[in-house]
Amino acid sequence: EDKHGEARDVFETMLDQEETRVLGLRGLYLEAQTSEDGLTARQYADKAHELAPKMAWAGKAEQDFASSAGEWQAALETLASNKANRLVSKEDANRQRAVLLTANAMSIELSDPKIARKQALEATKLAPTLVPAAATASRVMVRLGEVRQASK
């Protein structure tokens, strides 16, 4: 624990200098992860992504935290930022977008079936082999009375 405290002190000192700030945040993020303090780790990742959106670790961490929390819109926005900053390939970004759209569609299919249908259909176009996207689209279309389209 003593070594971790010393490391945290060094990383916190790094926050005072612009040229070492993101590196200090990375160190604090890793220390929080080691301590299993997810909330603090997320705060460090969010701050690092805000300061340096081209830092792969921060973008991935931010997207992972949002996804784990079921914050699908935030995860989609972070994915778009990661793609724009070339932190993820177009192919991987499309697959990840399809997964996130499907997850969101599943979470809103009862409360907002029209948006759920739109998102699930977009997901099936992005990743035709993603079975949950097709299943969600079909389920929502049946619920909306679009039985003919659902069978396609």
Side-chain angles (χ1 to χ4, degrees):
E1 178 60 43
D2 193 48
K3 287 182 183 179
H4 290 289
E6 289 176 26
R8 271 192 299 275
D9 290 343
V10 169
F11 294 133
E12 286 175 5
T13 301
M14 294 172 82
L15 299 179
D16 297 334
Q17 301 295 320
E18 187 175 339
E19 56 273 1
T20 58
R21 190 167 295 137
V22 174
L23 185 58
L25 288 167
R26 169 80 169 155
L28 291 167
Y29 164 79
L30 292 172
E31 285 295 317
Q33 290 281 73
T34 300
S35 302
E36 297 182 12
D37 184 354
L39 179 61
T40 301
R42 183 176 187 176
Q43 291 170 344
Y44 291 132
D46 287 348
K47 184 66 175 171
H49 190 256
E50 178 186 315
L51 293 173
K54 293 187 180 199
M55 294 298 295
W57 71 267
K60 175 155 180 27
E62 189 170 306
Q63 184 180 335
D64 289 347
F65 283 122
S67 296
S68 295
E71 298 168 0
W72 308 121
Q73 196 56 46
L76 284 163
E77 289 168 10
T78 302
L79 174 61
S81 171
N82 291 346
K83 182 180 174 187
N85 286 304
R86 296 191 173 132
L87 303 180
V88 61
S89 71
K90 181 180 178 181
E91 182 179 284
D92 287 344
N94 286 345
R95 179 72 180 187
Q96 290 175 30
R97 180 169 173 77
V99 169
L100 293 170
L101 286 169
T102 300
N104 192 57
M106 292 171 74
S107 74
I108 64 169
E109 67 180 279
L110 295 175
S111 62
D112 200 341
K114 289 183 180 178
I115 290 179
R117 176 190 57 205
K118 179 181 176 203
Q119 291 182 340
L121 288 173
E122 181 183 344
T124 60
K125 286 180 181 143
L126 290 170
T129 61
L130 185 62
V131 174
T136 302
S138 292
R139 202 170 44 247
V140 172
M141 285 189 277
V142 167
R143 186 169 287 120
L144 291 170
E146 301 169 357
V147 178
R148 208 176 269 182
Q149 292 94 326
S151 64
K152 293 180 182 180

